[in-house]
Amino acid sequence: MRDVPDPRARPAGRNARPPGKRPLQVGKKPPPEAKVPRPAARTARLAAKTARTAAKVDSKATDRGFSGLWPGGSKVFPRILNVFAPQHPAQVIVLGFAGAIAVGTILLMLPIARNGPGGAPFLDALFTSTSSVCVTGLITVDTPVYWSGFGKVVIMALIQIGGFGVMSFGTLLGVLMARRLGLRSRLSAAAETKSTGFGDVRRVLLGVLAISLTVEILLAGILAARLVAGYGYEPGRAVWHGVFHAVSSFNNAGFALHTDNLIGFAGDPWICLPIAAAVIIGGLGFPVLFELRRQYQRPIHWSMNTKLVLVGTAMLLTAGTVFLTAVEWSNPATLGALKPGERILAGFFQSVITRTAGFNSVDIGQMHEVSWLGMDILMFIGGGPAGTAGGLKITTFSVLFFILLTELQGGTAVNIFGKRLSRAVHRQAITVVLLAIGLVVGATMFLMIITDFGQERILFEVISAFATVGLSTGITAAMPPAGQVVLILLMFIGRLGPVTLGAALALRERPLLYEYPKERPLIG
């Protein structure tokens, strides 16, 4: 009798299966252990494709570092350098400004940059370079007397680079943050903020450059013509003064080519009003200027940022003008020596300049102490974001004001111009303000310890440096070296702190997977 083979048995060979395994069934998905491994050639192709993809991702990731300096061959140096390479937008901004300050310091220390024998001391050169790049205007030496023509050109170039850099980086931060989001989130953010140039960095930068040059050229022409016609300047000298003050005005720097700054022009509207206009335009911020250019006839469609900046600017300028004019009206050392119309002009000009420009048409050191306190508040608030102005910014102050107003009214949500404010913005504004207050208070206390100046003058100087204003009661040059170093740090942190901190807070948002139970402490 012939043996019938067991249907479960399989001949030995390449298709043999280990004993105890169930046979494969047609039409059903094989179990995981029954999968046939990929052929070696296919596995090699997939591995090569994965390696190429990883190389592309790695090259994109290291483009922010220093690996681009090594086009081929060595792989050790790029890896070592990328350890120290900046990986966060805030780090790039800080290092960029620090590098510009270092280059400016070296140039100002050259003997050719100074009037007189030898080069400028390191601290004076560092202070002037920091004040120029951070578009502040505080000085330890008399600019028109101490620096040569070459030194003044370097200062003007540093002001232009610092102003354009701050504006471009402030505008690009929105682009950098939007790129971290998905397409839907980017479209939502663009529709909510009505921003310009979110997807076209090149167009944004060209727009910034065009506005800067247009305003500076127009202002330079007006000032040069006035200096020739009204003050008998030679054409070449008038053009040089016009260009320098135009760059300094639009970038809110406050450097002047006169020992008394602009006190000699306090009653001249052809000098003061164009400079004030340039300061206001530069202080509005480029997001506002872009939106006004695009929708100047449709205010109802303006974004919350634009409305806050415009309304806040108008209110602060009006309040500052009325306050300073009223307090200093009869002060013979400031407005009292001018005609009534000139007093109003000087009060308005000083109110505009206090918003981080740094020029002065009256002697700041001779003003009443209550005027200093009022100017402290105006300087601390500052101008519009993503522009040439410093300070906390009008939008930050406005957010805090509406939070206070909502709390006093018993509301549950902060609404501004018909829009609800995100709670994340509440936390960011409070964080920036508290850190700024802590920095100003700490620096004031330190300077009070190491100097003999009064608290009012020191506080004025500290806020002027932190808010990158440049106004001074006359004690900057008399500060000890440690005090000048503190002012240098304040200028640097004040110019970059709010921008970089705002970007860091926005980019560090992470969704929480859990929440703690609520509990309410006693307030007040």
Side-chain angles (χ1 to χ4, degrees):
M1 184 175 185
R2 189 175 177 185
D3 294 334
V4 179
D6 186 354
R8 292 176 300 176
R10 300 184 65 180
R14 67 175 184 173
N15 294 326
R17 58 179 174 84
K21 297 291 184 180
R22 300 185 64 180
L24 299 176
Q25 298 181 12
V26 179
K28 293 186 177 181
K29 185 177 179 180
E33 63 270 18
K35 288 184 178 180
V36 179
R38 295 188 181 95
R42 184 181 179 188
T43 302
R45 289 196 299 270
L46 290 176
K49 183 179 179 180
T50 304
R52 289 194 299 269
T53 304
K56 291 180 180 179
V57 174
D58 183 70
S59 64
K60 291 181 180 180
T62 57
D63 280 344
R64 295 172 296 178
F66 299 97
S67 59
L69 300 175
W70 308 90
S74 174
K75 297 181 180 180
V76 177
F77 289 103
R79 293 178 180 176
I80 295 176
L81 291 175
N82 280 327
V83 174
F84 305 97
Q87 302 297 327
H88 194 279
Q91 297 175 351
V92 177
I93 297 174
V94 171
L95 292 179
F97 273 79
I101 291 173
V103 173
T105 302
I106 295 173
L107 293 177
L108 292 177
M109 289 179 65
L110 297 176
I112 193 177
R114 178 187 175 186
N115 284 326
F122 171 75
L123 187 58
D124 289 334
L126 177 62
F127 194 99
T128 304
S129 178
T130 305
S131 183
S132 302
V133 174
C134 296
V135 291
T136 303
L138 287 176
I139 55 175
T140 58
V141 294
D142 190 359
T143 301
V145 176
Y146 190 85
W147 301 109
S148 65
F150 175 80
K152 296 170 187 175
V153 171
V154 170
I155 292 173
M156 185 180 67
L158 293 176
I159 293 172
Q160 187 69 73
I161 293 172
F164 181 79
V166 171
M167 294 181 291
S168 61
F169 279 125
T171 306
L172 289 177
L173 282 177
V175 178
L176 295 174
M177 288 185 289
R179 291 180 61 184
R180 297 289 299 270
L181 306 175
L183 178 60
R184 181 178 299 178
S185 300
R186 265 190 280 177
L187 293 176
S188 300
E192 179 183 1
T193 61
K194 296 179 177 61
S195 301
T196 302
F198 247 45
D200 191 352
V201 176
R202 181 174 178 271
R203 183 162 57 89
V204 170
L205 293 180
L206 290 178
V208 171
L209 181 62
I211 293 176
S212 302
L213 294 180
T214 300
V215 175
E216 291 172 358
I217 291 174
L218 289 176
L219 179 58
I222 295 174
L223 295 180
R226 178 57 179 169
L227 291 175
V228 171
Y231 298 91
Y233 278 44
E234 295 292 333
R237 185 188 176 201
V239 170
W240 162 241
H241 278 246
V243 171
F244 186 94
H245 290 95
V247 172
S248 183
S249 301
F250 180 74
N251 291 285
N252 282 212
F255 281 89
L257 295 180
H258 306 277
T259 301
D260 61 352
N261 208 279
L262 298 181
I263 294 179
F265 306 99
D268 191 345
W270 290 100
I271 298 293
C272 294
L273 292 182
I275 290 179
V279 170
I280 294 174
I281 294 174
L284 290 178
F286 277 90
V288 174
L289 295 179
F290 289 153
E291 189 165 359
L292 290 178
R293 184 181 62 179
R294 187 176 67 254
Q295 301 186 27
Y296 67 94
Q297 293 180 338
R298 295 184 294 177
I300 193 173
H301 297 293
W302 290 351
S303 65
M304 181 189 297
N305 179 78
T306 298
K307 293 178 181 179
L308 286 176
V309 172
L310 293 179
V311 174
T313 298
M315 294 179 63
L316 292 175
L317 287 179
T318 303
T321 301
V322 173
F323 174 78
L324 293 177
T325 304
V327 173
E328 298 293 330
W329 184 267
S330 58
N331 186 353
T334 55
L335 301 184
L338 303 175
K339 299 178 181 178
E342 295 176 349
R343 297 180 191 182
I344 298 176
L345 174 63
F348 169 75
F349 183 79
Q350 212 56 56
S351 176
V352 173
I353 297 307
T354 307
R355 309 287 310 291
T356 78
F359 293 108
N360 62 285
S361 60
V362 295
D363 189 352
I364 303 297
Q366 299 297 324
M367 299 179 75
H368 294 301
E369 293 182 356
V370 66
S371 298
W372 292 345
L373 182 59
M375 296 170 71
D376 287 341
I377 299 174
L378 294 176
M379 291 190 296
F380 194 68
I381 295 174
T388 59
L392 291 179
K393 304 297 186 295
I394 296 175
T395 49
T396 305
F397 177 78
S398 301
V399 166
L400 293 180
F401 172 78
F402 281 102
I403 291 175
L404 174 64
L405 185 63
T406 302
E407 191 65 26
L408 293 177
Q409 294 176 348
T412 57
V414 179
N415 300 316
I416 304 177
F417 299 123
K419 297 291 183 67
R420 182 170 58 88
L421 199 64
S422 171
R423 292 189 180 274
V425 180
H426 303 185
R427 299 191 300 269
Q428 294 172 11
I430 294 173
T431 301
V432 171
V433 171
L434 290 180
L435 290 177
I437 293 175
L439 183 63
V440 168
V441 171
T444 302
M445 295 175 65
F446 178 77
L447 292 180
M448 289 178 64
I449 294 174
I450 66 173
T451 65
D452 297 328
F453 301 113
Q455 177 184 345
E456 298 81 6
R457 292 180 180 270
I458 292 178
L459 180 62
F460 189 94
E461 212 79 9
V462 167
I463 295 180
S464 179
F466 172 76
T468 67
V469 178
L471 294 176
S472 175
T473 60
I475 65 174
T476 304
M479 284 277 183
Q484 294 182 2
V485 170
V486 169
L487 295 180
I488 290 174
L489 294 176
L490 286 172
M491 289 188 289
F492 189 78
I493 297 174
R495 170 52 73 186
L496 301 179
V499 179
T500 55
L501 179 59
L505 292 176
L507 294 174
R508 286 175 60 87
E509 289 184 358
R510 297 185 180 91
L512 292 177
L513 302 180
Y514 62 89
E515 290 185 353
Y516 291 106
K518 291 183 178 180
E519 185 173 353
R520 182 173 181 176
L522 298 178
I523 302 297

